[in-house]
Every structure is written in structure tokens, then in C-alpha cells.
């Protein structure tokens, strides 16, 4: 009973998912791959135990030998592929964002709601990171009281010079938007964005930024997003509750003393930091446990990200007026 | 050539300063003490090598055997005592705040400016904390580029239930206002205050709060001030610069493994945390090195604190329109 | 092409291996289980996707539907089961020790050598721990020069009161014996054991102990083994090389501030600490990559452990005179 | 009532003591200085507020304007100067070692015993280090039970190539000999020394070494002494007790994220590490509190160091047979 997964998009993320499904996940195999670059698809197919190479993504989605679909293609293509999966009645794991626009996400919600049961998972892998799950578990014990604040830091070493300032929110901080919603089980109702003078290394992009999010439950979550931090990749947070705090910093297992420093290494990008999260996300998806983000979560992330972009541009606090959650996505 | 110091106010702070001046500072002695509670003054005088007990603070200030004055009395009395010191032409170290109101601070500036040279030092002791001075020294090397953000955390275990929400700013976060100005050598020009729902332990006070400060140089400094954090006293910050960051967390020298935890102890209040800062502050003051905060710094701290209180009450961003710095306080 | 694994012994370790093989390892399934307690075997079989329950371990070993065997039964039974696997020509992963006596291990070496190729892997899972592999990889870069010393700490919260003092070496420190050999690619040639007065919590066992191991290459490896440390489970080490050191302490991803402490949790036993090592060990074994410990490694660990027991009893330095490594186990 | 201190030897240590006595210790002044290099003495005298420069150390010791003497000259001169101080009835703080030979120390004990009260303090400054005093205080609470082991690490970046192997013990590890005696209030009764192959950077000196010390109370204290560790200066230890451990590592207050590393700086030599210990040691000496090491402690350190040198040379365990403590040094 091995599930045969079809992968659409075999860039860095898609290839890595193929590797995990082939070599580190129980009960899965890569059944087919599609990429605009067929040579690249062929390479991934070969290292995935001889998966079939498709030249038409819709053929992959509708192939009887494909049990479920993983979408890791460019953001703009997500909507069409996800809708095709829903039409085919196939489970689909779509890398974030579910769709880049609120309207696109809404059309997906409509389709899945019409279908009548959940097929879609959105790849917010941090929900599977052992650090974040520790944080949530510790909060649930009640030992540190009710949550009040969350301080987040999200840094990448380098980004494309001069890229749109909104991208820091829609591409990067969107992970913290999702984590804030997930950790506190509460929607984000107000946002504001503050910015210092930009780093000299961003080519004009307003980088870094400080997002201020307020949840319906009254928690304040601030997010430093800095995509040209140069020194390395880092995601950290500190949860402040009524009688204690929890810090997630995920230190590596070893430290080195050399050249006058006692140091722990920081990763160069997000993959080593979240390697275990990706593995657990895929295993959970294959197992059908359903702990991953739903289409509603994907919609909400895009909706709040758009509100943050508005707040960045206007410089003012912005109330987030999200539509009501469809019944399909309410917790039982 | 020992300087004889007169101490006004022998509560916790004044008594501790007396102890340091007597036993841990070179070239100083306690020459006289005054306190509304004469018995308390007498106790401190005895443990300070037999200092004279005054029943009139102005007599102490004007006594020929008193070379300089340390003011650690209640906030509302600072202005009068400082003005008396200036009138007497005596160096004075005044615990923060210089005065609780902007007008009071302005009157002090006027008096000192009229006097024509600097006599006043304000007790922003963090400027002498080895952690903060490390931070400033590292920034000065240029090795991590220009500063962009400063994330501050300032927590006390408990405060008076129901105390005015403004006090979090004027009593506590005022230290971060001063540190932000000092670290970046730049005035604060804009402020905003965000608040989550308050902790259940504050008796109605809006606690914690998140202050957002912007300096003239474009640095964004955010401050979590939380005076009912329960778990202990803690002051930390992280400076974010263009190519690196510096974290000040001041861990104690030892850690303990016991009962399933590997832990470092946190202090119960600010005194152990800043013991070394107080000693160095006093030694610097006795030495006349003049690295302490000036009356202008005391004025600016109160001025910005008032702006933050306005921002807290209005919920809006607030531009800080500070008067020009008098010539006496400009750096040579 | 899923490998069907037969598991002999379904206690804590065997049940955990069954769980991993079923739910977290790619390309594996539990094909059969045996335990003296057939009810216990039946429980594990059910949660492993309906594996067959055997009442005769040799029947399991020789069953055509079993591709490979995992031995997690009591130490004294290892030799017979391993020999049966070799006789059947089946790959076998045997929990440490390969056999409790040097003679038993020698008989296994003889059988495998006669068989002519390697079938046996010994469950020294630390070789797969990301911390230890980091350590070895960093040493291989040459960036900190040649190794000189290794300081090891190995603590358990509690042991059976009054258990034989030799057990600290043969059951627990044997992991450090293996790690020392593996990390430095060199045999241990001299041992000594020092002991303080025993803890009052050991019921007479000489606990803790300090082992001093010298490798043929001249590295000194000291091992604190303490099985009644009470506060938790902990395995750490520091490698000292010519120009730097590496510390392995494997901190968890989160830390908590509460009740006056800033703390990271320590595990209560070895399973959470080495969960990832077990998963990777099993995946490697299923993949047939062969990075696990060989029968020779199992022999050497038992041989050196016996030398340490002699040193403990005599109080003197003890030269380890190991026989020559058979050709089958020499690295190509 | 300022004590006027005469300093013999104005090299690195003597000059630093002069600076502290002048600028950071209450109740002290440098009254006179002597150095074989009179120019060097003159420089220190000038920066110490115009102390008198002596050309004869015995004239300094016997001068009526000198209240107490600090000896920081070369090791071989300590005995004569200390004896002269005793003859003059003056308090003396002598840098370690009290004398390089057991016989020299014995003569000093005899002289002080004949004098009839304690005049001598030996500069084992670690007894005043806040980390070590925390360790001792925590042990005294009983919260972690009785002590069993102490693991010490003592590293210097570089030493004179080819220096005698015994110097690692007599010059460096002697601090750990003292700390072991002080922390456990128990004499060292057995020693052994193990050595790996030496680092390639020592020029033939047996470096590093591992000392194993056993106290009369049954504690095992191991000491890694490594004087060519290259990467920096570091002193750490971990105390292992029946229900918990305490680690002393004295991290600096700040850490830096830069170039792929999250690091804390390590000092280049012992002075920044023990700056606070030196200040407190001097203040305690000036105050006459008498918490410093006595002549007996100086004798014991040299006696045990000699036993360790014997153990290094013989390769065997060595019983330390120290004479009985004279009544003058018994605790009241
Ligand atoms: Mg993602
Ligand atoms: Mg203050
Ligand atoms: Mg094992
Ligand atoms: Mg010394």
C-alpha cells in the first residue's frame, strides 16, 4: 500500500520533496514528475526510482497511477493545478502560497467547498517543526498562563536587489502570519508595519520591516522580516505568556571553539533549518493524518498578507476584515 | 583627596549607593546623609563609616564638608534638590528621572545653562553596564555595518496592581528610551505604542506594552515593557545591523542541572543585574570622567516618555518635537 | 521492493524499532515478530500493520517471507540468534552488545568470516546521531587540527540499587568505547578507571566512575559514567584538537523562562535524545548502505569493556591486547 | 584611613594591581613601588598618583609609610620578600606561588608560625571569582547533594615552545589544585597524570595533560591543562554532585551573529576573565576580611603540585603525604 505521488515542479523544493518521498518517508513513492524543463524532470525521476516523466501537468494529475499530487511549481500556477486536483478528486499538497491573490484563494475555497470534503493541504511546514510543536504543546499545558505576545525574527542572507518591498511580506513573513494563527488558534484582526531606514544592501527595497499583528484573542505578534541580513538564515521567536516565556532558537547539536570564538553555526538557508519539518510534513500527508494547513489556512495567510501590504504602503494600522470561515473548515 | 558625598534619600537605592561609595569605590566617602525617616538615615550613616546625619536636605547640600551630592529621594523632590545643588555650584548625581515633568526638567536645564558649566549627572546606570558598553563598542568598530533595529525586552516580576498604565513608560521603559538615544547618538523623533490584552496579573494596568521608537538616524527600536512578568527580572536586547547582530543577555557565570532542567538563574530584581553598572557609574562620577547622562539626557528621556504616554493614550503614531539642544550639552 | 523485517524481542527497544520501521522508514515493513511473551508480540504485530506472530525465533529467522532480522531480545540470547541468521545467510541488526562475552563475540566473528561476507550490523546507534556525525565531519575538515583528547559525560537518572559495578562499563560506557574507536578510527590500547567515593544513591555500586582510554593514535578519551545522576539523562562530549575544540551537547530547540530560571529541558531517558539516531540507523540498514557498526566493532567493544572491568577491579592501568582484525573487516 | 601599599615587581601583574589599588579599590593607595627595572617602576609610580620609587625592595618593606606589601616579582624572589615582610610584621599579599619549592614554603610557614599570627595572603584570586563563589555557595545549600567529581578545563593559547612539561602543573594547573582544596575543604591525598600524544604546537612539551586528583573526602577532580590551545584562554569546570551538577563557564554578556556563526568571544588571556576576581581579592585584602588563601594554602598547593610532577614523570598513581596543618592555620 505505497502511495504514488505526482510532483509538479522539480526545482529546489520539488526535487527535495522527491528525495524525501523516495528515501525517508514510509509508504510513499514518486509515481510521476512534471516540469517545464523536461530534462530537469527526467533527472529527478531517475533519482526517484524511475518515476514516469510527464510533459503535461494535467495528464499527471489525471493519471490513474497517481494517487496524490504535490505542487512545487511557480506561485502563479498553483491555482490552476490545485483546481485540477480538486476536479480529479485527488489529495494535493501545494507549496505556499495556495495562490498569490485573495481572489485566487477564494476560487479554490469555492471549488473545495463544492466538492464537499478536504483534499487540499498547504505547505506551511513550520507547523511540523519540532520547535514550534514544542512551543504549542507547552502553551497547551497552561504552565505559563495565557499568551500575550510573540516576538518573531525571520532573516535571510540575501534577496534580489530592488525586489518589491511587498515581497518581504507575501513571500517570507507569510510563514509568521500562518504560525501566529496556528499557535494561538485565532484569526489576525489588525496589522501595522513599521520600517527603519533600509539596509544599504537591499538595492532600494524597504528591508527590514517590523510587522505588528493582533489576534482576535488579543495577542500581539511582532515580526522582524529581514531578507538581506547577510550573516545567515535564522528563524526564532519568543512567546510571552502571563507567568513565563518560551524561546525557540533551535541551536545545532554542536558548538566550536576556534579563533577566539565559542560559536554555533547558522545555516545558509532554510533547508537545513526545516529539514525535519519537511520530512514530518510529508509523512503526515502520506499518513492522511490531516494536521497540515488547510485551504482555509492558505486563504487566510494570503488575505492577511495583503492587509499587511496595505499597511506597509499607507503607514497606518489596518483592520483585517476576513469573511466567515466555511463550515467545511470548522473544527469538529 | 577623598570626595565626601552627601546622600539625600536612604531608601533601597540610596543605601546601596552609600554602601558602594564606602566599600567599593576608590576616592570616595559618605560625608552626610539625609532622609525623611531620620532613623533610616542614621542606620545608613553608621554603616558608612560614621557620616553626619542631616535633618535638613538643603543644609546638607550647602555644607562645606560635602563635596558633591547624590539624590535618591522620591521623584517629585528631584527638581528642588537639583536646583539647590546648582545654586550651590556642587556636582550632583540624580537618580532618574531628572524630574517627572518636562517643565521641571526644562527649569533645571535653564538653571544649569545659566550656571554655565555641567554639574548634573543623571543616574542612567545602564550606560556603564559592561554589556551595553560592549554593544556600543562593537557597533563603533563598523564590523557589523550600520544599525537598523534594536529589539528590547524589559521585565519585572511584579508591580503594584492597578497602577497607572503610563508608569510602565515613565518608570521603566524610560531606561530603554535613554539607551536608544545613547547607543545610536541620535534623538528619538517618532513613537507609537501597541498593547495586547493585559495580563490577568496586573489589576487592570495595560501591561505588557510594546513601544516603537524611531530615531532621527532612522533606527527602529522596539521595547517590550512588562512589569508583571512574574518569572523574574530581565533586561535583554538585540541590535540588528546591516551585516550582523549583537545580543545582550548577560548570562550569570554558572548554570545548574537539576530536576530535569539545565538552567541559569534569573535575578529577582534589577540590583544584581546592574550591580556592576552602579559601581562603575559611581566610580566614573567620583573620577569626574563625565561619561554619565547629562541634564539634557534627563530632559530628553522625560520628553520622549511623555510622547510615548500620549501615543499610548491616542493609539496613534506620535511625532516627537523636541526643542534644540542648548550649546552647553553639545559634544565638543 | 519493501524489505520485510523480522523482530526478535518486542520489549521497549524492539517495539520502538517496530514503530519506526512501520511509520518512519522508507522501504521497510515488519514481516514477523517473536517474543517470549506472545501477548506482547501480538500487540506489536497489530500496531505494525498485521505482521505475523512467531512462537519460535528460529522459525522466524528461517522464514522465506522474512528478508532480514532485528534482534532486540535479552543480551544472553544475542549470540545464538545472530549465529542462526548467519547460518541462514540473512542480514541482521543486533542491539548492543553483540554478545556479552569476548568468547561469544569471537564465535560470531568466526562464523561470519567463514560465511565470507558481512551480514551483521551492531546497534551502536550513536554513529548515526547528527551531533556525533557533525563532530566527525568537522574533525575530517582539518580545521581544528589533529585530535588530542575527548571528554565524555554519560549520565542516567537511576539504576537498579546495588547492581554490579562492572555493569556501568559493559552496559553504559560501552557506547563511549565504540564512539572513541569510531571517531578516531583507531583501536583502544590502554585503559584505566578512577572512582570517587560512590553516590549515596547507588546502593553500594561504585557509581560514578571515570574511565581513561588511550587510542593507538595517542588520543586520550575520558568518560564519566554515572548511572544514578538523578537529574535526568545526558550524553555530552568535548573533542579537544590542536587548534580548537568541538562540544556536543544537543540542546533542545526551545528554552523556557519560568520561576526564576532560564532553562532547557533534559530528557528522562535515552530515547528522545537518540530518536533521530535510531531512525537514521534503521534507514541506513534498510538501504544497505553499511555505515553501521560491524561484528568486529561489536567484538572490540566487548573486548575493551572487559579490559576496563579488569582495570576497575585492579585499580591499575591495563594494556588492551586485541587480536588482529580479520581481513573481512578491513576497510577497502 | 587609606592603606598605603608597597608593590614589589611592576610587570604585567604588578602594574595591574597598582592600577586597581589606585582606581578601583576603596581605602587603598599605592605608597611605593620597586622593580629591578627602575624606569618601569617609575612609570607605574606616576600613573599611581605619585607613589615613591624604591631602589631597594627591603627598604620598601621596612619603610614606615608603607602599611602593607604586594609581591608580584619573579617566583624565585617570593620567599625572601615574604620572609622580610614577616620579619617587619607587615601584611603581605604574595602572587602565587608562595615559593617554588616545598622547602621554601616550609620556611615561610615556620617564620609565620613563629611570628604567631597570620600576615601572609597568597594570590589565588579565583577564590574571589563570582563564578567560583557561586559554585561554592550552591554546594553549601545542599540542594544538589554531596560532591562527587569536578571536571576542570584550563587552556592558554600559547606557551614558550619546549618549556619543561612540569611547568604546566606548577605554573598553571596549580590554580585548580588550590580550587579543589578550597571548594571541597579537603586536602588532596592522591594524584595521577595521564597524557595523550602532545600537540604539534608545543615544541616537545607534554601538552596537554590530564591530572586526576582525589581528596581526603573522596572527591575526584580531573584537570585538563593545555597551554598551547591556540584558540584562546579558557577556564571552566563542572561540579558533579549526588542529585545535580553546576557548570562554571562565565559567558560574556553579549553574543554576535556574523558570517554564519552565532558566537561569544573568548578572552585572549586570563586578565579579562579574572578582572573582577583581582579587584575583589584586593578589596578583601585591604579590608582585612581574610578570605584569601593563607600561607598554608600556598604550601599545600606547592606540595601537591610537586606530587603531580612526580606522577607525571613516573606514570603512576602517587599518594600525597602532607605534614599536619599547624595550629595557626586551623579554622576556628
Ligand atoms: Mg514553505
Ligand atoms: Mg536607575
Ligand atoms: Mg543501543
Ligand atoms: Mg594568580
Amino acid at each position: 500500500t505505497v502511495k504514488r505521488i505526482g510532483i509538479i515542479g522539480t526545482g529546489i523544493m520539488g526535487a527535495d520533496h522527491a528525495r524525501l518521498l523516495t528515501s525517508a518517508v514510509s509508504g510513499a513513492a514518486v509515481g510521476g514528475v512534471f516540469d517545464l524543463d523536461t530534462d530537469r524532470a527526467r533527472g529527478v525521476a531517475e533519482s526517484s526510482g524511475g518515476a514516469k516523466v510527464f510533459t503535461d501537468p494535467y495528464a499527471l494529475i489525471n493519471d490513474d497511477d497517481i494517487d496524490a499530487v504535490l505542487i512545487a511549481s511557480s506561485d502563479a500556477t498553483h491555482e490552476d493545478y490545485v483546481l485540477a486536483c480538486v476536479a480529479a478528486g485527488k489529495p494535493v499538497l501545494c507549496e505556499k502560497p495556495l495562490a498569490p491573490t485573495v481572489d485566487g484563494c477564494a476560487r479554490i475555497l469555492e471549488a473545495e467547498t463544492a466538492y464537499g470534503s478536504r483534499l487540499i493541504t498547504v505547505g506551511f511546514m513550520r507547523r511540523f517543526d519540532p520547535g514550534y510543536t514544542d512551543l504549542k504543546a507547552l502553551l497547551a499545558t497552561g504552565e505559563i498562563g495565557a499568551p500575550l505576545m510573540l516576538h518573531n525574527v525571520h532573516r535571510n542572507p540575501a534577496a534580489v536587489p530592488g525586489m518589491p518591498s511587498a515581497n518581504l511580506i507575501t513571500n517570507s513573513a507569510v510563514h509568521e502570519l500562518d504560525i501566529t494563527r496556528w499557535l494561538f488558534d485565532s484569526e489576525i484582526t489588525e496589522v501595522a508595519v513599521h520600517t527603519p531606514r533600509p539596509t544599504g544592501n537591499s538595492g532600494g527595497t524597504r528591508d527590514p520591516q517590523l510587522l505588528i499583528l493582533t489576534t482576535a484573542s488579543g495577542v500581539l505578534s511582532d515580526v522582524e522580516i529581514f531578507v538581506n541580513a547577510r550573516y545567515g538564515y535564522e528563524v526564532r521567536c519568543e512567546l510571552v505568556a502571563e507567568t513565563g516565556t518560551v524561546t525557540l532558537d533551535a541551536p545545532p547539536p554542536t558548538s566550536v571553539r576556534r579563533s577566539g570564538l565559542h560559536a554555533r553555526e547558522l545555516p545558509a538557508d532554510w533547508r537545513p533549518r526545516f529539514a525535519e519539518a519537511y520530512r514530518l510534513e510529508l509523512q503526515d500527508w502520506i499518513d492522511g493524518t490531516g494536521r497540515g494547513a488547510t485551504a482555509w489556512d492558505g486563504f487566510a495567510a494570503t488575505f492577511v498578507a495583503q492587509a499587511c501590504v496595505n499597511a506597509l504602503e499607507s503607514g497606518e494600522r489596518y483592520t483585517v476584515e476576513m469573511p466567515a470561515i466555511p463550515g467545511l473548515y470548522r473544527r469538529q
Side-chain angles (χ1 to χ4, degrees), chain A:
Chain A
T1 70
V2 164
K3 278 191 193 155
R4 291 154 305 174
I5 308 304
I7 298 179
I8 297 177
T10 56
I12 292 179
M13 284 305 308
D16 205 55
H17 285 316
R19 182 184 61 76
L20 287 169
L21 289 168
T22 303
S23 66
V25 169
S26 176
V30 179
V33 296
F34 164 80
D35 197 282
L36 286 178
D37 177 342
T38 307
D39 282 348
R40 190 161 75 169
R42 199 168 291 125
V44 169
E46 272 163 31
S47 61
S48 302
K52 182 172 171 188
V53 178
F54 288 82
T55 53
D56 173 357
Y58 299 98
L60 175 149
I61 290 168
N62 290 292
D63 193 295
D64 281 351
D65 287 340
I66 296 298
D67 299 315
V69 179
L70 191 159
I71 299 173
S73 51
S74 63
D75 294 1
T77 67
H78 289 186
E79 181 183 348
D80 283 351
Y81 295 151
V82 168
L83 289 173
C85 289
V86 172
K90 290 206 179 159
V92 55
L93 172 60
C94 180
E95 273 300 302
K96 63 95 193 163
L98 177 58
T101 65
V102 169
D103 285 353
C105 291
R107 285 188 290 269
I108 290 171
L109 284 188
E110 211 173 327
E112 192 176 39
T113 303
Y115 180 80
S117 74
R118 295 190 204 165
L119 290 170
I120 303 166
T121 302
V122 181
F124 283 119
M125 78 292 182
R126 288 196 195 173
R127 293 175 175 221
F128 294 92
D129 175 66
Y132 280 109
T133 54
D134 270 15
L135 204 65
K136 185 155 182 164
L138 206 143
L139 192 54
T141 64
E143 288 173 17
I144 54 169
L148 300 170
M149 298 180 119
L150 183 71
H151 304 302
N152 301 274
V153 160
H154 181 164
R155 298 178 189 142
N156 287 275
V160 178
M163 85 175 186
S165 298
N167 286 21
L168 275 74
I169 296 165
T170 55
N171 283 359
S172 299
V174 68
H175 278 293
E176 275 78 16
L177 303 184
D178 181 64
I179 279 295
T180 297
R181 295 179 62 253
W182 167 81
L183 186 58
F184 302 118
D185 265 324
S186 182
E187 294 296 349
I188 292 164
T189 53
E190 195 188 86
V191 299
V193 180
H194 297 265
T195 53
R197 69 171 185 71
T199 173
N201 296 317
S202 73
T205 305
R206 290 167 74 179
D207 180 33
Q209 300 177 13
L210 184 71
L211 279 57
I212 312 282
L213 318 169
T214 309
T215 69
S217 59
V219 176
L220 203 65
S221 174
D222 54 273
V223 184
E224 179 209 308
I225 173 69
F226 187 11
V227 298
N228 288 286
R230 288 297 179 264
Y231 73 82
Y233 178 81
E234 199 168 33
V235 163
R236 278 183 284 140
C237 68
E238 180 173 11
L239 168 65
V240 182
E242 288 180 322
T243 62
T245 83
V246 195
T247 297
L248 163 58
D249 55 359
T254 56
S255 61
V256 176
R257 284 168 167 88
R258 186 170 41 183
S259 306
L261 299 177
H262 180 202
R264 291 192 196 260
E265 284 200 6
L266 296 164
D269 66 35
W270 77 98
R271 282 167 300 168
R273 171 64 185 84
F274 288 112
E276 183 73 352
Y278 283 118
R279 185 182 71 78
L280 292 169
E281 176 189 57
L282 289 174
Q283 187 69 64
D284 181 84
W285 183 55
I286 294 298
D287 295 348
T289 320
R291 285 184 295 140
T294 66
W296 172 255
D297 296 318
F299 169 85
T302 296
F303 197 97
V304 178
Q306 188 54 54
C308 290
V309 171
N310 295 345
L312 170 68
E313 285 163 7
S314 71
E316 288 174 13
R317 298 193 188 201
Y318 198 93
T319 302
V320 181
E321 300 196 340
M322 205 136 63
I325 184 172
L328 180 60
Y329 306 105
R330 275 189 217 117
R331 205 160 307 167
Q332 276 77 7

